[in-house]
Amino acid sequence: MWCPNQDTLAGLDLGAAFVACRWRELFDQYSPDSYHAKLYSLSGLISEAVEIAELQKNQAAWGKHLIWVKAEIDERVKTGIESQFCSARHLGMLNKISSSDTSSKIVRLGRVLELEGFSETLEASMREEFRQLDFDSVPSKKKKADQLLTTLGTYAFRRGCNSNDCANISDALDGDVENVRSWVLGSLEGDESEFDCVVVVDAKDEKTIGSIRAVCERAGICRSVRLPGLPEGKSHVVFRRKTMGLRAIDAAEKLRAEIRSNLNILSLYRQSSGPVILSEMWIVQEDEIVQVQAYSPSLQNLHPRRDASRLSASVAAALEQRLSMGPNLESEVRSALDLNNLALSMHDHRLRLINIWSALECLASLVDGKSIIDRVVRLVVPILTWRKIDKVVRYLSISIHYWLKNNPTIDRSSLPFKLGYKDAVHPEQILKLMCEPKDSAGIVKLLEVVAKHPLLLYRVYEAWKIFHNPVTLQRDLERSSKRLTWHLWRIYRARNLLVHQGVEHDCLPQLSNHLQQYFSWTLSRILHGLTLGSQWTARDSWYYWKSKSDHVVESLGTNPNGLLMQDMFPEDLSHPEAEVWSNS
């Protein structure tokens, strides 16, 4: 979260500041996935349901996938802001899609919505709502503004908006409120344009140059003369063509993909690995050539651990100890690590997703289940559902830490248990405050400390509304578990379409990113368990974390006062046996 000095925010319109901060948070790679833009709008979910219904006509197995998408549509219609902009007739059609038992009916309803321009009309209505948004009303209606911005974020994401586009928040806030409005709306605009793209292939040897030229030129991709500013190399072949794209990088990537497809044919008949396409790409603008940066959303939300060396040494020792007991012990974990490392070495998001899913399947063999996807869901969902508490609280802790660090004049003396002393903000301290009852001294003071940051104030208050009531938190975790299950089925579907039919899902890079996160978090917990004792197996470790998750979710509804801090966090704590809801 962007946490500047208070003076930066002091002269700003609070509504405009909230909108700008939230828009940046939607695409910030350091934001939790819970606060990111969604992959699908309501109309996008309808299109997905229609595609699956078409598949179901030939293969009944797709009906299982359709069940989950229909459930997601039903929830979005009931709880999302988009349904407020649908006509009564369209709402009726959406309800019929989510409740239909026949794929043909879903296809027919979806076809009518498509012909009526439902998707375009809905997006236009959402844009107009933002154009007319009264920024003065935002501070008192942040929840509604948040829902609107989150939905608009999905539309912007579909047009290629990313963290780089939202980094210049200071420029957006440097002016009147209309500057912020234009900044957001600018991310939603744009039709495809023509770009003069350049891609370079390294033939490895000069003998292959002729073959590369022949196979690409037959496909209409012509070789270009060498241009100043390109890397030198006798075996380099330069291709240049005008290509359409939303952005320069999109056009260049499109040309790169076409060249790759043609070189794959050459590789088949030569029975050797194909020539290397350089990762750098260029655009010719007037009299100069400009390199465009490849921006892949795959793996962007995972960041190196500061204690990576210590953790690696600890896990390596634990695995080595088990290897001495038998060569096949924990083979699932070793194979998963191999496949993960292979995925990390790849630039192609399709190959990344396939290998990461294979790695997850290896781990899923630790779990009983009727099918692959059933085992994957049983493996991942409990651990990630339990992790949400730590994820949200840690994000707040980091944000509050930077807020205090950048604002040394804030009085820390009245904050409970030395919160903010030397700018230290521990997650367990924040969780304790989030679980305090209404109007308690600790949470009131914390809200006062962050009051001048509109988004941070909103995040703290919304988290408190969920966390201070154990039953509300239980419902929130159950909702997260359900949504995670839907998304795992979506990733599984994308993987199957790619492997079995060669169909590339339109959000494959993002699905690869999400899958990498899920795999990394799950395997990290399993490896952590192996370090707890020499007798622990990977299956023991998974069941240990699953039992923690089950205990927390069940106790929230039956005995919240029995929950301790050590039940909520994976790492060592200063007060592990402190009660979480001692005041409830």
Side-chain angles (χ1 to χ4, degrees), residues 77 79-87 91 122 129 144 147:
V77 169
T79 63
I81 192 174
E82 290 163 292
S83 58
Q84 299 174 24
F85 297 86
C86 298
S87 67
L91 277 178
L122 184 57
E129 179 72 7
K144 184 177 180 180
Q147 289 180 314

Side-chain angles (χ1 to χ4, degrees), residues 40 42 44-53 62-76 97-98 106 485-487 489-490 493:
Y40 282 89
L42 177 57
L45 290 175
I46 299 300
S47 298
E48 188 179 28
V50 170
E51 290 171 5
I52 299 171
W62 289 104
K64 296 179 181 178
H65 293 265
L66 192 56
I67 290 172
W68 298 115
V69 177
K70 289 193 299 180
E72 193 168 358
I73 292 171
D74 182 61
E75 185 198 61
R76 190 72 66 85
I97 288 175
S98 64
I106 293 173
T485 299
W486 294 341
H487 204 48
W489 273 82
R490 176 173 288 117
R493 182 162 60 251

Side-chain angles (χ1 to χ4, degrees), residues 199 252-261 277-279 281:
V199 174
E253 286 278 15
K254 189 182 294 185
L255 177 58
R256 192 172 189 271
E258 289 184 41
I259 293 172
R260 183 184 63 230
S261 294
I277 304 175
L278 300 192
S279 57
M281 293 171 286

Side-chain angles (χ1 to χ4, degrees), residues 506-574:
D506 61 346
C507 291
L508 204 64
Q510 291 74 27
L511 296 179
S512 175
N513 173 31
H514 294 166
L515 182 62
Q516 176 68 25
Q517 293 176 61
Y518 300 161
F519 169 79
S520 179
W521 293 331
T522 302
L523 181 56
S524 293
R525 290 281 65 77
I526 291 174
L527 294 176
H528 182 183
L530 294 179
T531 66
L532 298 178
S534 60
Q535 300 301 312
W536 287 60
T537 65
R539 186 181 292 266
D540 295 331
S541 176
W542 169 78
Y543 204 82
Y544 168 71
W545 298 110
K546 179 184 181 299
S547 65
K548 273 205 165 193
S549 177
D550 292 344
H551 172 63
V552 169
V553 175
E554 292 166 6
S555 297
L556 286 170
T558 58
N559 182 31
N561 291 337
L563 288 169
L564 307 177
M565 284 293 172
Q566 62 189 5
D567 297 322
M568 305 299 199
F569 297 100
E571 74 277 0
D572 294 333
L573 305 170
S574 56

Side-chain angles (χ1 to χ4, degrees), residues 142-251:
K142 288 180 180 177
K143 186 73 173 179
K144 184 177 180 180
D146 181 17
Q147 289 180 314
L148 177 60
L149 289 166
T150 301
T151 303
L152 291 175
T154 299
Y155 299 138
F157 154 74
R158 287 288 184 164
R159 285 174 170 77
C161 187
N162 57 59
S163 59
N164 295 335
D165 299 310
C166 301
N168 60 336
I169 184 172
S170 298
D171 294 339
L173 289 167
D174 186 18
D176 59 20
V177 296
E178 293 308 315
N179 199 35
V180 173
R181 199 188 308 273
S182 299
W183 184 56
V184 173
L185 290 172
S187 304
L188 300 167
E189 303 296 338
D191 297 318
E192 285 197 339
S193 303
E194 187 177 71
F195 296 92
D196 193 356
C197 305
V198 176
V199 174
V200 178
V201 176
D202 185 354
K204 298 182 182 177
D205 60 76
E206 295 186 52
K207 294 179 181 179
T208 313
I209 291 177
S211 299
I212 294 173
R213 288 179 57 187
V215 72
C216 288
E217 288 177 359
R218 284 289 183 92
I221 307 171
C222 298
R223 184 185 182 189
S224 168
V225 297
R226 292 188 178 275
L227 300 169
L230 294 179
E232 297 292 332
K234 291 184 178 180
S235 60
H236 285 181
V237 186
V238 179
F239 291 100
R240 176 180 177 182
R241 195 182 73 182
K242 291 183 178 180
T243 309
M244 300 296 290
L246 281 171
R247 302 173 182 220
I249 184 62
D250 299 322

Side-chain angles (χ1 to χ4, degrees), residues 393 414-417 419 428-447 460-470 473 561 565 579-584:
V393 171
S414 58
L415 283 171
F417 35 77
L419 181 69
E428 60 183 301
Q429 296 175 327
I430 295 300
L431 178 59
K432 188 68 178 175
L433 289 174
M434 293 297 103
C435 297
E436 286 190 358
K438 185 178 181 180
D439 296 330
S440 63
I443 188 63
V444 168
K445 183 58 183 176
L446 180 60
L447 290 170
V460 171
Y461 182 65
E462 287 297 311
W464 171 81
K465 282 168 60 178
I466 294 173
F467 280 69
H468 89 282
N469 185 332
L473 178 57
N561 291 337
M565 284 293 172
E579 293 180 349
V580 180
W581 279 277
S582 56
N583 295 322
S584 62

